[in-house]
Amino acid sequence: MEIRKIDQLSFEPFIREEEIQLAIERLAKEIAPAWKDKNPLVLVVLQGAFVFAADLLRQIPFSVDIEFIRVKSYEGTESSGEVRSVMGLELPIIGRNVLIVEDIVDTGKTAVYLRDLLIEMGANHISMATFLYKPAANQTDFEPEFVGLKIDPTFVVGYGLDYEGKGRHWPGLWRLISEK
Ligand code: IMP
């Protein structure tokens, strides 16, 4: 089994590309009928969602507006839960049906922050498609509507997700090997 390292941390293969692509195909089939008449504004949350968004959105056959936003909330391998800023929200939100595309819902705090911000900005309808969801880590009442894969609360990298900015480009998902 190939082990990859980032700094002192070791990661083992977790979910293969083939499995991820099947999950995304299924997700696109759930999203497309539900959103085709909603003139969606898709907000892709950078940087983590860039790989997922590229694969998912190419399977959506109708036209959508796409914006890329940045939310800073994570340091190291534990979510701080503190969302510090949002950048890139430029199109008017008022009255729009917004589909947030995220890499992962962990504590849920980023999702709640974004939802509340978009409500405040006058969005008509808000929903989220997340590549990964760690239900056992969610500390909020937020439940993502469209989920690619549910995972246990372990730390993962690859397919857009990083550790300290590294590992985003690794194919498939890799799981942190615990030192214990
Ligand atoms: P939340 O606010 O705790 O739900 O965390 C959201 C953000 O934390 C995600 O958008 C990711 O950037 C980051 N994050 C959470 N879990 C992981 C992980 O296992 N690997 C890499 N980043 C993660």
Side-chain angles (χ1 to χ4, degrees):
M1 183 174 62
E2 186 189 359
I3 301 295
R4 292 194 179 182
K5 295 200 85 163
I6 302 173
D7 300 333
Q8 316 84 327
L9 300 188
S10 300
F11 295 86
E12 62 185 4
F14 179 38
I15 300 175
R16 292 155 48 86
E17 273 288 331
E18 292 76 8
E19 201 179 320
I20 292 173
Q21 294 307 327
L22 288 176
I24 290 173
E25 262 173 49
R26 177 192 39 78
L27 207 53
K29 287 192 185 122
E30 283 173 30
I31 295 171
W35 279 74
K36 76 173 175 349
D37 300 320
K38 286 200 164 89
N39 184 27
L41 168 58
V42 176
L43 296 183
V44 179
V45 184
L46 295 176
Q47 307 197 44
F50 82 107
V51 182
F52 172 55
D55 283 347
L56 178 72
L57 296 175
R58 279 180 299 157
Q59 296 193 35
I60 301 294
F62 46 89
S63 84
V64 299
D65 293 316
I66 303 176
E67 278 215 314
F68 299 90
I69 63 168
R70 288 189 69 167
V71 177
K72 184 92 176 109
S73 73
Y74 214 80
E75 263 161 29
T77 60
E78 258 179 71
S79 181
S80 67
E82 297 301 323
V83 176
R84 284 183 221 100
S85 59
V86 176
M87 289 185 301
L89 258 184
E90 269 150 35
L91 285 180
I93 298 297
I94 200 153
R96 295 300 307 260
N97 298 316
V98 181
L99 180 67
I100 304 167
V101 174
E102 258 286 22
D103 55 355
I104 188 163
V105 174
D106 182 24
T107 65
K109 289 180 181 173
T110 309
V112 164
Y113 176 85
L114 275 175
R115 178 193 62 191
D116 293 350
L117 180 73
L118 292 166
I119 290 172
E120 207 175 289
M121 293 174 85
N124 178 53
H125 180 83
I126 299 154
S127 188
M128 178 181 283
T130 184
F131 169 46
L132 298 174
Y133 178 31
K134 296 179 186 170
N138 190 352
Q139 300 169 16
T140 70
D141 63 352
F142 181 88
E143 283 293 325
E145 192 175 349
F146 303 104
V147 175
L149 297 163
K150 285 187 183 165
I151 61 168
D152 288 335
T154 48
F155 189 78
V156 293
V157 298
Y159 200 75
L161 290 103
D162 73 307
Y163 168 66
E164 300 285 328
K166 306 252 169 49
R168 289 192 199 283
H169 57 101
W170 293 1
L173 271 179
W174 299 70
R175 174 169 56 188
L176 179 66
I177 301 174
S178 142
E179 277 129 45
K180 281 168 256 157

